[in-house]
Amino acid sequence: MEGGSEVVVRRVNPGTKFRDFYSWPDEELDEMESTLAIQQYIQQKIRRDYTDIEGVLELPLKVDVNVWNYEHLRQFCMQLNELCVLLQPVCNAETCSQMTATVSWIFLCAVHKEPKECCAIDYIRHTLDGAASILNSNKYFPSRVNIKDSSVNKLPSTCRRVYRIFSHAYFHHKSIYDDFESRTMLCHRFDRWVKKFDLITPDLLIVPLDDNSDNLSDNSDNDGYSTLQAINNSVVEAPNSKEEEDNGHYATVSENAPQPNTAPITPDVEEEDSDEDDETTIRE
């Protein structure tokens, strides 16, 4: 007790049951005394009501918009690690030998010395590892409370790559995507976020989010896979090496790779606003 008021200890103690996690009262942002305050505030809003997308994304007063977007992107990557885990039993080199999303989108993985095709699950892992490497880089983001103007352009390019995880899951593993989305609304939130803050051009957002979207995927699986319990407060891992940290190339797009079990695509190539990676988009 201090001054007659009860001290609230916000801590998950050993042995606490999952249903009792985060059972303490919410805290206002200006009461949070930590360099991680923005992250904690976003996670608090998600726990309170993950379906209130506008409320979760609403920029607080006196918070820098670049810091706000940086922390949201970190949160998206943390939560996408769960989707990656859920995909692993059914998405592998045999079932998804290429990283595709519909017959019009095929991506090459550029974490290698020379960009090459990866199976989809490896592409997803590499993309999340690459995003973690960028977002934890002392070179680009040395502070959690102040983002350098020169580093802001890393956010849109990372967003484009991360979004491909949603698109692959939707078009090729629909049942897993639907279950994950019903529990997190993550793709809906991501879609609204990049539009609200102008991080991705709308023509790249190919996952349909309207009520009739179930009829728009002709490549979904029907594996009946039972999804795992939600992973909470995952940690974005730091880069494993200096080379990883400085490597800004994580994904590019194949210009003529064929879709599995389809005729080769003859694409028109349209250049994107790349982040020093000569990234291109393929359209049929």
Side-chain angles (χ1 to χ4, degrees):
M1 303 286 288
E2 290 184 4
S5 61
E6 183 180 353
V7 177
V8 177
V9 178
R10 292 176 168 83
R11 183 178 298 123
V12 178
N13 294 314
T16 303
K17 294 183 178 180
F18 180 76
R19 66 172 178 268
D20 297 325
F21 280 21
Y22 317 112
S23 57
W24 50 75
D26 286 349
E27 189 176 16
E28 295 299 325
L29 178 59
D30 56 9
E31 298 174 354
M32 297 180 179
E33 299 178 356
S34 168
T35 56
L36 305 178
I38 303 298
Q39 172 181 294
Q40 293 169 353
Y41 184 66
I42 291 171
Q43 291 176 346
Q44 174 180 277
K45 296 177 80 171
I46 293 171
R47 289 195 300 268
R48 182 191 304 159
D49 185 2
Y50 68 89
T51 65
D52 181 17
I53 293 175
E54 289 299 331
V56 173
L57 298 179
E58 183 180 1
L59 177 67
L61 295 175
K62 299 181 181 180
V63 173
D64 181 77
V65 66
N66 293 329
V67 174
W68 185 246
N69 285 332
Y70 168 80
E71 292 293 351
H72 267 288
L73 184 53
R74 285 179 62 93
Q75 183 65 29
F76 282 116
C77 291
M78 285 192 283
Q79 291 188 260
L80 275 169
N81 275 281
E82 182 196 351
L83 181 58
C84 179
V85 171
L86 298 176
L87 290 173
Q88 285 182 132
V90 295
C91 183
N92 51 56
E94 287 72 37
T95 59
C96 300
S97 60
Q98 294 175 310
M99 181 60 177
T100 58
T102 77
V103 295
S104 303
W105 302 76
I106 304 174
F107 306 109
L108 289 182
C109 183
V111 297
H112 314 278
K113 290 183 179 180
E114 294 293 333
K116 67 177 185 179
E117 288 187 13
C118 275
C119 64
I121 194 63
D122 282 349
Y123 184 101
I124 291 170
R125 294 188 190 110
H126 294 165
T127 296
L128 291 175
D129 286 347
S133 195
I134 285 289
L135 295 175
N136 287 285
S137 168
N138 287 327
K139 175 181 178 181
Y140 299 118
F141 301 104
S143 170
R144 298 285 291 268
V145 296
N146 184 32
I147 305 297
K148 299 185 297 182
D149 290 341
S150 60
S151 299
V152 172
N153 63 354
K154 294 292 179 184
L155 301 182
S157 58
T158 305
C159 289
R160 289 198 305 269
R161 299 181 181 108
V162 166
Y163 181 77
R164 294 165 186 164
I165 301 173
F166 290 116
S167 58
H168 178 78
Y170 178 87
F171 287 102
H172 298 278
H173 307 286
K174 186 66 160 50
S175 62
I176 293 177
Y177 168 88
D178 285 344
D179 179 84
F180 177 78
E181 188 67 9
S182 70
R183 294 185 288 102
T184 64
M185 296 292 288
L186 197 65
C187 188
H188 284 74
R189 182 170 11 119
F190 190 95
D191 184 278
R192 182 70 189 101
W193 172 63
V194 296
K195 290 176 180 176
K196 183 182 182 73
F197 295 100
D198 195 25
L199 294 168
I200 297 181
T201 57
D203 60 312
L204 298 180
L205 302 173
I206 61 174
V207 175
L209 299 178
D210 56 84
D211 293 338
N212 297 320
S213 61
D214 287 343
N215 299 323
L216 298 179
S217 171
D218 56 3
N219 229 342
S220 62
D221 66 45
N222 189 25
D223 49 40
Y225 177 67
S226 176
T227 58
L228 302 174
Q229 186 178 31
I231 296 175
N232 287 276
N233 291 333
S234 305
V235 177
V236 174
E237 296 190 4
N240 293 326
S241 66
K242 178 66 175 172
E243 181 180 354
E244 273 188 2
E245 177 177 322
D246 291 337
N247 182 5
H249 302 273
Y250 295 109
T252 185
V253 182
S254 170
E255 297 188 1
N256 49 24
Q259 174 79 359
N261 302 321
T262 66
I265 297 170
T266 306
D268 296 324
V269 179
E270 177 183 335
E271 298 210 358
E272 291 185 14
D273 53 327
S274 63
D275 179 23
E276 300 177 355
D277 58 5
D278 297 325
E279 190 177 74
T280 55
T281 300
I282 304 304
R283 290 193 179 87
E284 194 174 33

